[in-house]
């Protein structure tokens, strides 16, 4: 690397660090809400994170039959509370990171059903993690008055400055791991809570499956979940902010960034002396050690 390139990199990192600090000061703050809240009771050694990929449909019955949730703490995401097995799993941790959970969207009725279900079914202590950044001032406590549910914000502003600072920010609940999926937020929270073994289930990440372009030049893909009643068909996909159709180049760039985020989380876990184990058979994530459940 030439002297000019070193200076250029230093100046870019300096700018990104200053930009991050300014945005955090204006939009969020520097409090470690997750760390301050701590764990729900005395933690087990292992955290099991349940994604919502199709593979969870095969993995969840196996985990329940093996009594896995008596030996692990569990973190669930999104619409898992609508599953009939929710009260068997009794996740102590739950993460909602998609803006649809605090903004109006086409899924508003399902989101409302989720909040009603959480309110009605949670009869054990639960930590519910939501985005700190909430410009609409959505009142989570108004829709979730259940006293068993503790609502804890997490920061979402990505840090892209000096690499040597990133893991130190992570350890203080800052810097974010909001690289594109709720599972990555879960990993970040689990590591921040002090878990040294984190297992991933239902994290297929088959984001290139069924990728097509229709006759109107719209990028489409199959978006499958374990709770889908029938095989999904390809549908147009849109960027959320601002809402507009994806192009192939933009979508592939975002997917690459998402997988790079897994590599950053892997390195962060190693820095902490922790392990992230991908137990999802057929997952496209190649960053973590793999130990899939038996077929």
């Amino acid at each position: 690397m030439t002297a000019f390139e070193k200076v250029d990199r230093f100046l870019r990192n300096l700018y990104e660090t200053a930009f991050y600090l300014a945005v955090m000061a204006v939009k969020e703050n520097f409090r470690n809400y997750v760390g301050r809240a701590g764990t729900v009771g005395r933690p087990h050694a292992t955290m099991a994170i349940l994604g919502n990929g199709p593979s969870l449909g095969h993995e969840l019955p196996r985990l329940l039959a093996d009594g896995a949730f008596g030996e692990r703490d569990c973190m669930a995401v999104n619409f898992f509370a609508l599953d009939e097995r929710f009260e068997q799993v009794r996740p102590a941790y739950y993460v909602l990171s998609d803006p649809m959970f605090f903004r109006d969207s086409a899924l508003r009725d399902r989101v409302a059903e989720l909040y009603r279900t959480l309110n009605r079914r949670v009869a054990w202590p639960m930590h519910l993690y939501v985005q700190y950044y909430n410009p609409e001032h959505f009142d989570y406590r108004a829709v979730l008055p259940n006293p068993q549910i503790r609502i804890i914000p997490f920061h979402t502003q990505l840090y892209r400055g000096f690499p040597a600072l990133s893991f130190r920010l992570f350890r203080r609940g800052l810097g974010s791991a909001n690289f594109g999926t709720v599972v990555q937020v879960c990993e970040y929270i689990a590591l921040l809570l002090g878990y040294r073994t984190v297992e991933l289930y239902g994290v297929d990440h088959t984001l290139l499956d069924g990728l097509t372009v229709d006759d109107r030049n719209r990028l489409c893909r199959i978006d499958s979940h374990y709770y889908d009643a029938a095989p999904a068909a390809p549908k147009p996909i849109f960027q959320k902010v601002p809402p507009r159709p994806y192009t192939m180049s933009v979508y592939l760039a975002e997917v690459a960034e998402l997988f790079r985020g897994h590599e950053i989380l892997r390195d962060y876990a190693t820095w902490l002396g922790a392990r992230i184990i991908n137990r999802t058979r057929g997952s496209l994530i190649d960053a973590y050690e793999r130990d899939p459940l038996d077929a």
Side-chain angles (χ1 to χ4, degrees):
M1 184 182 296
T2 66
F4 175 80
E5 289 172 331
K6 289 180 180 178
V7 171
D8 180 63
R9 174 177 291 184
F10 175 82
L11 291 175
R12 281 189 286 111
N13 284 335
L14 183 63
Y15 168 79
E16 290 290 351
T17 300
F19 177 78
Y20 168 79
L21 293 173
V23 171
M24 286 293 291
V26 172
K27 288 176 57 178
E28 303 194 17
N29 59 40
F30 298 96
R31 296 175 186 167
N32 182 357
Y33 294 100
V34 175
R36 288 183 180 184
T39 59
V40 178
R42 186 174 180 177
H44 287 90
T46 300
M47 172 73 83
I49 295 173
L50 305 183
N52 53 20
S55 62
L56 191 66
H58 303 288
E59 294 167 354
L60 188 55
R62 172 70 180 276
L63 291 168
L64 287 168
D66 291 349
F69 299 117
E71 303 169 349
R72 298 165 173 81
D73 291 331
C74 178
M75 185 177 289
V77 304
N78 296 353
F79 295 106
F80 183 76
L82 302 181
D83 191 289
E84 61 184 9
R85 296 160 292 189
F86 175 62
E87 289 165 290
Q88 291 179 260
V89 176
R90 294 170 65 92
Y93 305 92
Y94 208 104
V95 179
L96 302 175
S97 71
D98 194 294
M100 69 178 170
F101 293 112
F102 61 84
R103 289 178 178 157
D104 189 34
S105 74
L107 293 176
R108 65 182 69 87
D109 292 339
R110 195 148 194 258
V111 170
E113 182 187 5
L114 171 69
Y115 288 135
R116 288 194 299 270
T117 302
L118 283 168
N119 224 23
R120 185 182 73 253
R121 298 180 72 183
V122 176
W124 58 91
M126 172 187 284
H127 283 183
L128 173 69
Y129 302 95
V130 300
Q131 286 198 31
Y132 177 89
Y133 183 61
N134 179 10
E136 288 81 4
H137 303 292
F138 180 79
D139 191 344
Y140 289 99
R141 182 50 71 194
V143 296
L144 289 169
N146 186 333
Q148 296 279 18
I149 300 174
R150 182 174 181 180
I151 299 169
I152 302 166
F154 62 86
H155 294 293
T156 56
Q157 183 64 36
L158 283 170
Y159 173 74
R160 302 180 186 277
F162 293 104
L165 294 178
S166 60
F167 292 170
R168 290 170 174 82
L169 287 171
F170 283 4
R171 192 168 59 183
R172 290 165 175 79
L174 304 171
S176 177
N178 192 31
F179 298 109
T181 72
V182 65
V183 165
Q184 289 167 317
V185 175
C186 290
E187 295 171 59
Y188 174 79
I189 290 172
L191 293 171
L192 190 55
L193 291 174
Y195 288 90
R196 289 296 176 260
T197 303
V198 179
E199 296 181 341
L200 307 181
Y201 300 89
V203 291
D204 304 67
H205 271 34
T206 48
L207 299 169
L208 303 179
D209 282 9
L211 201 62
T212 61
V213 176
D214 67 13
D215 292 340
R216 295 169 58 185
N217 238 16
R218 298 178 302 178
L219 185 62
C220 306
R221 80 174 183 93
I222 295 173
D223 188 16
S224 299
H225 307 90
Y226 80 95
Y227 48 75
D228 292 334
K235 295 179 181 179
I237 53 177
F238 298 88
Q239 299 176 67
K240 294 175 182 176
V241 182
R244 63 178 183 268
Y246 269 106
T247 62
M248 184 69 79
S249 62
V250 170
Y251 180 75
L252 292 178
E254 286 195 11
V255 170
E257 179 71 5
L258 183 153
F259 282 102
R260 189 183 74 85
H262 282 296
E263 294 172 353
I264 292 171
L265 286 165
R266 174 202 61 204
D267 295 343
Y268 174 51
T270 300
W271 185 74
L272 291 173
R275 302 167 65 202
I276 300 175
I277 305 170
N278 188 358
R279 306 215 63 192
T280 305
R281 186 172 297 279
S283 171
L284 282 189
I285 302 172
D286 61 354
Y288 312 122
E289 58 182 289
R290 302 175 78 101
D291 183 18
L293 287 178
D294 296 336

